[in-house]
PDB file of all heavy atoms in Angstrom:
ATOM      1  N   ALA A  61     -17.865  36.075  -5.984  1.00 86.00           N
ATOM      2  CA  ALA A  61     -16.985  35.920  -7.155  1.00 86.00           C
ATOM      3  C   ALA A  61     -15.694  36.710  -6.960  1.00 86.00           C
ATOM      4  O   ALA A  61     -14.606  36.250  -7.317  1.00 86.00           O
ATOM      5  CB  ALA A  61     -17.709  36.382  -8.419  1.00 86.00           C
ATOM      6  N   GLU A  62     -15.819  37.886  -6.359  1.00 86.00           N
ATOM      7  CA  GLU A  62     -14.628  38.709  -6.130  1.00 86.00           C
ATOM      8  C   GLU A  62     -13.670  38.023  -5.144  1.00 86.00           C
ATOM      9  O   GLU A  62     -12.453  38.015  -5.350  1.00 86.00           O
ATOM     10  CB  GLU A  62     -15.037  40.069  -5.594  1.00 86.00           C
ATOM     11  CG  GLU A  62     -13.859  41.009  -5.441  1.00 86.00           C
ATOM     12  CD  GLU A  62     -14.310  42.397  -5.048  1.00 86.00           C
ATOM     13  OE1 GLU A  62     -15.255  42.504  -4.263  1.00 86.00           O
ATOM     14  OE2 GLU A  62     -13.694  43.355  -5.530  1.00 86.00           O
ATOM     15  N   LYS A  63     -14.234  37.441  -4.101  1.00 89.00           N
ATOM     16  CA  LYS A  63     -13.386  36.743  -3.123  1.00 89.00           C
ATOM     17  C   LYS A  63     -12.732  35.513  -3.753  1.00 89.00           C
ATOM     18  O   LYS A  63     -11.576  35.190  -3.474  1.00 89.00           O
ATOM     19  CB  LYS A  63     -14.216  36.345  -1.897  1.00 89.00           C
ATOM     20  CG  LYS A  63     -14.527  37.513  -0.973  1.00 89.00           C
ATOM     21  CD  LYS A  63     -15.236  37.069   0.285  1.00 89.00           C
ATOM     22  CE  LYS A  63     -15.482  38.261   1.204  1.00 89.00           C
ATOM     23  NZ  LYS A  63     -14.224  38.794   1.787  1.00 89.00           N
ATOM     24  N   LEU A  64     -13.477  34.827  -4.612  1.00 88.00           N
ATOM     25  CA  LEU A  64     -12.908  33.659  -5.281  1.00 88.00           C
ATOM     26  C   LEU A  64     -11.765  34.076  -6.202  1.00 88.00           C
ATOM     27  O   LEU A  64     -10.746  33.386  -6.304  1.00 88.00           O
ATOM     28  CB  LEU A  64     -13.995  32.930  -6.077  1.00 88.00           C
ATOM     29  CG  LEU A  64     -15.076  32.236  -5.234  1.00 88.00           C
ATOM     30  CD1 LEU A  64     -16.241  31.803  -6.108  1.00 88.00           C
ATOM     31  CD2 LEU A  64     -14.497  31.018  -4.509  1.00 88.00           C
ATOM     32  N   GLU A  65     -11.945  35.218  -6.862  1.00 84.00           N
ATOM     33  CA  GLU A  65     -10.862  35.711  -7.732  1.00 84.00           C
ATOM     34  C   GLU A  65      -9.627  36.051  -6.926  1.00 84.00           C
ATOM     35  O   GLU A  65      -8.502  35.809  -7.346  1.00 84.00           O
ATOM     36  CB  GLU A  65     -11.343  36.941  -8.499  1.00 84.00           C
ATOM     37  CG  GLU A  65     -12.318  36.609  -9.583  1.00 84.00           C
ATOM     38  CD  GLU A  65     -11.989  37.302 -10.895  1.00 84.00           C
ATOM     39  OE1 GLU A  65     -10.952  37.959 -10.981  1.00 84.00           O
ATOM     40  OE2 GLU A  65     -12.783  37.156 -11.820  1.00 84.00           O
ATOM     41  N   ALA A  66      -9.871  36.638  -5.744  1.00 86.00           N
ATOM     42  CA  ALA A  66      -8.725  36.983  -4.902  1.00 86.00           C
ATOM     43  C   ALA A  66      -8.004  35.714  -4.448  1.00 86.00           C
ATOM     44  O   ALA A  66      -6.779  35.681  -4.337  1.00 86.00           O
ATOM     45  CB  ALA A  66      -9.202  37.788  -3.694  1.00 86.00           C
ATOM     46  N   ARG A  67      -8.787  34.659  -4.224  1.00 87.00           N
ATOM     47  CA  ARG A  67      -8.197  33.413  -3.736  1.00 87.00           C
ATOM     48  C   ARG A  67      -7.527  32.621  -4.858  1.00 87.00           C
ATOM     49  O   ARG A  67      -6.440  32.089  -4.702  1.00 87.00           O
ATOM     50  CB  ARG A  67      -9.292  32.568  -3.069  1.00 87.00           C
ATOM     51  CG  ARG A  67      -8.905  31.132  -2.746  1.00 87.00           C
ATOM     52  CD  ARG A  67      -7.781  31.061  -1.719  1.00 87.00           C
ATOM     53  NE  ARG A  67      -7.345  29.680  -1.539  1.00 87.00           N
ATOM     54  CZ  ARG A  67      -6.463  29.072  -2.300  1.00 87.00           C
ATOM     55  NH1 ARG A  67      -5.884  29.723  -3.311  1.00 87.00           N
ATOM     56  NH2 ARG A  67      -6.134  27.807  -2.080  1.00 87.00           N
ATOM     57  N   TYR A  68      -8.194  32.529  -6.009  1.00 84.00           N
ATOM     58  CA  TYR A  68      -7.708  31.658  -7.095  1.00 84.00           C
ATOM     59  C   TYR A  68      -7.293  32.439  -8.330  1.00 84.00           C
ATOM     60  O   TYR A  68      -7.070  31.856  -9.378  1.00 84.00           O
ATOM     61  CB  TYR A  68      -8.808  30.681  -7.519  1.00 84.00           C
ATOM     62  CG  TYR A  68      -9.303  29.781  -6.429  1.00 84.00           C
ATOM     63  CD1 TYR A  68     -10.544  29.984  -5.837  1.00 84.00           C
ATOM     64  CD2 TYR A  68      -8.532  28.709  -5.991  1.00 84.00           C
ATOM     65  CE1 TYR A  68     -11.010  29.151  -4.837  1.00 84.00           C
ATOM     66  CE2 TYR A  68      -8.987  27.873  -4.991  1.00 84.00           C
ATOM     67  CZ  TYR A  68     -10.225  28.100  -4.416  1.00 84.00           C
ATOM     68  OH  TYR A  68     -10.679  27.275  -3.431  1.00 84.00           O
ATOM     69  N   GLY A  69      -7.200  33.742  -8.213  1.00 75.00           N
ATOM     70  CA  GLY A  69      -7.082  34.617  -9.373  1.00 75.00           C
ATOM     71  C   GLY A  69      -6.142  34.156 -10.461  1.00 75.00           C
ATOM     72  O   GLY A  69      -6.457  34.252 -11.648  1.00 75.00           O
ATOM     73  N   ALA A  70      -5.001  33.633 -10.090  1.00 64.00           N
ATOM     74  CA  ALA A  70      -3.998  33.309 -11.094  1.00 64.00           C
ATOM     75  C   ALA A  70      -4.437  32.159 -11.988  1.00 64.00           C
ATOM     76  O   ALA A  70      -3.961  32.009 -13.102  1.00 64.00           O
ATOM     77  CB  ALA A  70      -2.677  32.971 -10.409  1.00 64.00           C
ATOM     78  N   ARG A  71      -5.383  31.365 -11.525  1.00 73.00           N
ATOM     79  CA  ARG A  71      -5.703  30.168 -12.304  1.00 73.00           C
ATOM     80  C   ARG A  71      -7.158  30.098 -12.737  1.00 73.00           C
ATOM     81  O   ARG A  71      -7.519  29.244 -13.535  1.00 73.00           O
ATOM     82  CB  ARG A  71      -5.357  28.918 -11.499  1.00 73.00           C
ATOM     83  CG  ARG A  71      -5.854  28.984 -10.076  1.00 73.00           C
ATOM     84  CD  ARG A  71      -5.510  27.724  -9.300  1.00 73.00           C
ATOM     85  NE  ARG A  71      -6.351  26.612  -9.711  1.00 73.00           N
ATOM     86  CZ  ARG A  71      -6.629  25.577  -8.922  1.00 73.00           C
ATOM     87  NH1 ARG A  71      -6.100  25.512  -7.723  1.00 73.00           N
ATOM     88  NH2 ARG A  71      -7.404  24.616  -9.347  1.00 73.00           N
ATOM     89  N   VAL A  72      -7.993  30.969 -12.206  1.00 78.00           N
ATOM     90  CA  VAL A  72      -9.418  30.856 -12.524  1.00 78.00           C
ATOM     91  C   VAL A  72      -9.944  32.190 -13.047  1.00 78.00           C
ATOM     92  O   VAL A  72      -9.778  33.211 -12.413  1.00 78.00           O
ATOM     93  CB  VAL A  72     -10.211  30.458 -11.259  1.00 78.00           C
ATOM     94  CG1 VAL A  72     -11.691  30.417 -11.572  1.00 78.00           C
ATOM     95  CG2 VAL A  72      -9.732  29.119 -10.737  1.00 78.00           C
ATOM     96  N   ASP A  73     -10.546  32.135 -14.218  1.00 77.00           N
ATOM     97  CA  ASP A  73     -11.116  33.349 -14.802  1.00 77.00           C
ATOM     98  C   ASP A  73     -12.635  33.303 -14.629  1.00 77.00           C
ATOM     99  O   ASP A  73     -13.362  32.752 -15.457  1.00 77.00           O
ATOM    100  CB  ASP A  73     -10.746  33.427 -16.283  1.00 77.00           C
ATOM    101  CG  ASP A  73     -11.232  34.724 -16.912  1.00 77.00           C
ATOM    102  OD1 ASP A  73     -12.002  35.467 -16.260  1.00 77.00           O
ATOM    103  OD2 ASP A  73     -10.844  34.988 -18.059  1.00 77.00           O
ATOM    104  N   PHE A  74     -13.098  33.885 -13.521  1.00 77.00           N
ATOM    105  CA  PHE A  74     -14.528  33.782 -13.220  1.00 77.00           C
ATOM    106  C   PHE A  74     -15.381  34.588 -14.172  1.00 77.00           C
ATOM    107  O   PHE A  74     -16.514  34.226 -14.465  1.00 77.00           O
ATOM    108  CB  PHE A  74     -14.804  34.217 -11.778  1.00 77.00           C
ATOM    109  CG  PHE A  74     -14.465  33.149 -10.810  1.00 77.00           C
ATOM    110  CD1 PHE A  74     -13.271  33.189 -10.128  1.00 77.00           C
ATOM    111  CD2 PHE A  74     -15.309  32.080 -10.628  1.00 77.00           C
ATOM    112  CE1 PHE A  74     -12.931  32.184  -9.264  1.00 77.00           C
ATOM    113  CE2 PHE A  74     -14.975  31.059  -9.765  1.00 77.00           C
ATOM    114  CZ  PHE A  74     -13.775  31.116  -9.069  1.00 77.00           C
ATOM    115  N   MET A  75     -14.830  35.706 -14.649  1.00 73.00           N
ATOM    116  CA  MET A  75     -15.638  36.493 -15.578  1.00 73.00           C
ATOM    117  C   MET A  75     -15.911  35.697 -16.844  1.00 73.00           C
ATOM    118  O   MET A  75     -16.999  35.745 -17.387  1.00 73.00           O
ATOM    119  CB  MET A  75     -14.929  37.812 -15.918  1.00 73.00           C
ATOM    120  CG  MET A  75     -14.833  38.774 -14.764  1.00 73.00           C
ATOM    121  SD  MET A  75     -16.390  38.996 -13.879  1.00 73.00           S
ATOM    122  CE  MET A  75     -17.403  39.734 -15.153  1.00 73.00           C
ATOM    123  N   ALA A  76     -14.898  34.950 -17.293  1.00 75.00           N
ATOM    124  CA  ALA A  76     -15.099  34.118 -18.480  1.00 75.00           C
ATOM    125  C   ALA A  76     -16.127  33.029 -18.177  1.00 75.00           C
ATOM    126  O   ALA A  76     -17.010  32.739 -18.985  1.00 75.00           O
ATOM    127  CB  ALA A  76     -13.772  33.505 -18.913  1.00 75.00           C
ATOM    128  N   PHE A  77     -16.007  32.448 -16.991  1.00 80.00           N
ATOM    129  CA  PHE A  77     -16.949  31.398 -16.556  1.00 80.00           C
ATOM    130  C   PHE A  77     -18.376  31.935 -16.544  1.00 80.00           C
ATOM    131  O   PHE A  77     -19.300  31.332 -17.115  1.00 80.00           O
ATOM    132  CB  PHE A  77     -16.525  30.934 -15.161  1.00 80.00           C
ATOM    133  CG  PHE A  77     -17.407  29.887 -14.542  1.00 80.00           C
ATOM    134  CD1 PHE A  77     -17.699  28.704 -15.208  1.00 80.00           C
ATOM    135  CD2 PHE A  77     -17.924  30.075 -13.271  1.00 80.00           C
ATOM    136  CE1 PHE A  77     -18.493  27.740 -14.627  1.00 80.00           C
ATOM    137  CE2 PHE A  77     -18.715  29.117 -12.681  1.00 80.00           C
ATOM    138  CZ  PHE A  77     -19.006  27.943 -13.362  1.00 80.00           C
ATOM    139  N   LEU A  78     -18.556  33.105 -15.932  1.00 76.00           N
ATOM    140  CA  LEU A  78     -19.900  33.667 -15.802  1.00 76.00           C
ATOM    141  C   LEU A  78     -20.438  34.187 -17.130  1.00 76.00           C
ATOM    142  O   LEU A  78     -21.629  34.105 -17.402  1.00 76.00           O
ATOM    143  CB  LEU A  78     -19.894  34.811 -14.776  1.00 76.00           C
ATOM    144  CG  LEU A  78     -19.574  34.411 -13.331  1.00 76.00           C
ATOM    145  CD1 LEU A  78     -19.561  35.651 -12.435  1.00 76.00           C
ATOM    146  CD2 LEU A  78     -20.570  33.392 -12.808  1.00 76.00           C
ATOM    147  N   SER A  79     -19.535  34.713 -17.941  1.00 72.00           N
ATOM    148  CA  SER A  79     -20.014  35.360 -19.163  1.00 72.00           C
ATOM    149  C   SER A  79     -20.498  34.348 -20.190  1.00 72.00           C
ATOM    150  O   SER A  79     -21.146  34.712 -21.158  1.00 72.00           O
ATOM    151  CB  SER A  79     -18.927  36.249 -19.760  1.00 72.00           C
ATOM    152  OG  SER A  79     -17.849  35.466 -20.213  1.00 72.00           O
ATOM    153  N   GLU A  80     -20.184  33.070 -19.976  1.00 76.00           N
ATOM    154  CA  GLU A  80     -20.692  32.055 -20.894  1.00 76.00           C
ATOM    155  C   GLU A  80     -22.069  31.562 -20.479  1.00 76.00           C
ATOM    156  O   GLU A  80     -22.662  30.715 -21.129  1.00 76.00           O
ATOM    157  CB  GLU A  80     -19.709  30.878 -20.958  1.00 76.00           C
ATOM    158  CG  GLU A  80     -18.447  31.225 -21.731  1.00 76.00           C
ATOM    159  CD  GLU A  80     -17.384  30.171 -21.581  1.00 76.00           C
ATOM    160  OE1 GLU A  80     -17.667  29.128 -20.968  1.00 76.00           O
ATOM    161  OE2 GLU A  80     -16.265  30.400 -22.064  1.00 76.00           O
ATOM    162  N   MET A  81     -22.559  32.068 -19.363  1.00 78.00           N
ATOM    163  CA  MET A  81     -23.855  31.608 -18.863  1.00 78.00           C
ATOM    164  C   MET A  81     -24.918  32.680 -19.046  1.00 78.00           C
ATOM    165  O   MET A  81     -24.635  33.863 -19.019  1.00 78.00           O
ATOM    166  CB  MET A  81     -23.772  31.318 -17.359  1.00 78.00           C
ATOM    167  CG  MET A  81     -22.829  30.223 -16.987  1.00 78.00           C
ATOM    168  SD  MET A  81     -22.939  29.974 -15.200  1.00 78.00           S
ATOM    169  CE  MET A  81     -21.829  28.601 -15.007  1.00 78.00           C
ATOM    170  N   GLU A  82     -26.149  32.212 -19.188  1.00 75.00           N
ATOM    171  CA  GLU A  82     -27.277  33.127 -19.107  1.00 75.00           C
ATOM    172  C   GLU A  82     -27.462  33.500 -17.641  1.00 75.00           C
ATOM    173  O   GLU A  82     -27.032  32.773 -16.742  1.00 75.00           O
ATOM    174  CB  GLU A  82     -28.551  32.454 -19.617  1.00 75.00           C
ATOM    175  CG  GLU A  82     -28.473  31.959 -21.050  1.00 75.00           C
ATOM    176  CD  GLU A  82     -28.453  33.093 -22.064  1.00 75.00           C
ATOM    177  OE1 GLU A  82     -29.004  34.164 -21.746  1.00 75.00           O
ATOM    178  OE2 GLU A  82     -27.865  32.917 -23.143  1.00 75.00           O
ATOM    179  N   MET A  83     -28.149  34.632 -17.394  1.00 70.00           N
ATOM    180  CA  MET A  83     -28.343  35.052 -16.008  1.00 70.00           C
ATOM    181  C   MET A  83     -29.097  33.983 -15.216  1.00 70.00           C
ATOM    182  O   MET A  83     -28.789  33.727 -14.051  1.00 70.00           O
ATOM    183  CB  MET A  83     -29.103  36.367 -15.962  1.00 70.00           C
ATOM    184  CG  MET A  83     -29.110  36.988 -14.580  1.00 70.00           C
ATOM    185  SD  MET A  83     -29.303  38.762 -14.641  1.00 70.00           S
ATOM    186  CE  MET A  83     -29.364  39.158 -12.897  1.00 70.00           C
ATOM    187  N   ASP A  84     -30.069  33.331 -15.857  1.00 74.00           N
ATOM    188  CA  ASP A  84     -30.828  32.288 -15.149  1.00 74.00           C
ATOM    189  C   ASP A  84     -29.921  31.138 -14.732  1.00 74.00           C
ATOM    190  O   ASP A  84     -30.077  30.562 -13.663  1.00 74.00           O
ATOM    191  CB  ASP A  84     -31.951  31.751 -16.050  1.00 74.00           C
ATOM    192  CG  ASP A  84     -33.077  32.763 -16.187  1.00 74.00           C
ATOM    193  OD1 ASP A  84     -33.070  33.738 -15.412  1.00 74.00           O
ATOM    194  OD2 ASP A  84     -33.932  32.566 -17.046  1.00 74.00           O
ATOM    195  N   GLU A  85     -28.975  30.800 -15.615  1.00 82.00           N
ATOM    196  CA  GLU A  85     -28.049  29.714 -15.279  1.00 82.00           C
ATOM    197  C   GLU A  85     -27.188  30.077 -14.074  1.00 82.00           C
ATOM    198  O   GLU A  85     -26.890  29.236 -13.227  1.00 82.00           O
ATOM    199  CB  GLU A  85     -27.127  29.417 -16.466  1.00 82.00           C
ATOM    200  CG  GLU A  85     -27.781  28.747 -17.637  1.00 82.00           C
ATOM    201  CD  GLU A  85     -26.758  28.509 -18.738  1.00 82.00           C
ATOM    202  OE1 GLU A  85     -26.058  27.496 -18.669  1.00 82.00           O
ATOM    203  OE2 GLU A  85     -26.644  29.373 -19.642  1.00 82.00           O
ATOM    204  N   ILE A  86     -26.780  31.330 -14.026  1.00 79.00           N
ATOM    205  CA  ILE A  86     -25.955  31.774 -12.901  1.00 79.00           C
ATOM    206  C   ILE A  86     -26.760  31.666 -11.609  1.00 79.00           C
ATOM    207  O   ILE A  86     -26.277  31.185 -10.584  1.00 79.00           O
ATOM    208  CB  ILE A  86     -25.470  33.226 -13.123  1.00 79.00           C
ATOM    209  CG1 ILE A  86     -24.534  33.285 -14.325  1.00 79.00           C
ATOM    210  CG2 ILE A  86     -24.755  33.743 -11.870  1.00 79.00           C
ATOM    211  CD1 ILE A  86     -24.152  34.694 -14.733  1.00 79.00           C
ATOM    212  N   LEU A  87     -28.015  32.096 -11.688  1.00 73.00           N
ATOM    213  CA  LEU A  87     -28.832  32.126 -10.476  1.00 73.00           C
ATOM    214  C   LEU A  87     -29.242  30.733 -10.012  1.00 73.00           C
ATOM    215  O   LEU A  87     -29.539  30.531  -8.843  1.00 73.00           O
ATOM    216  CB  LEU A  87     -30.072  32.996 -10.700  1.00 73.00           C
ATOM    217  CG  LEU A  87     -29.769  34.491 -10.874  1.00 73.00           C
ATOM    218  CD1 LEU A  87     -31.040  35.274 -11.148  1.00 73.00           C
ATOM    219  CD2 LEU A  87     -29.065  35.051  -9.639  1.00 73.00           C
TER     220      LEU A  87
END
Side-chain angles (χ1 to χ4, degrees):
Chain A
E62 185 174 38
K63 284 185 178 291
L64 291 168
E65 287 227 5
R67 169 64 186 85
Y68 301 106
R71 46 179 286 206
V72 177
D73 184 350
F74 281 100
M75 292 312 296
F77 178 54
L78 295 178
S79 67
E80 287 169 6
M81 297 183 177
E82 301 289 332
M83 191 154 177
D84 287 348
E85 289 180 84
I86 295 172
L87 292 178

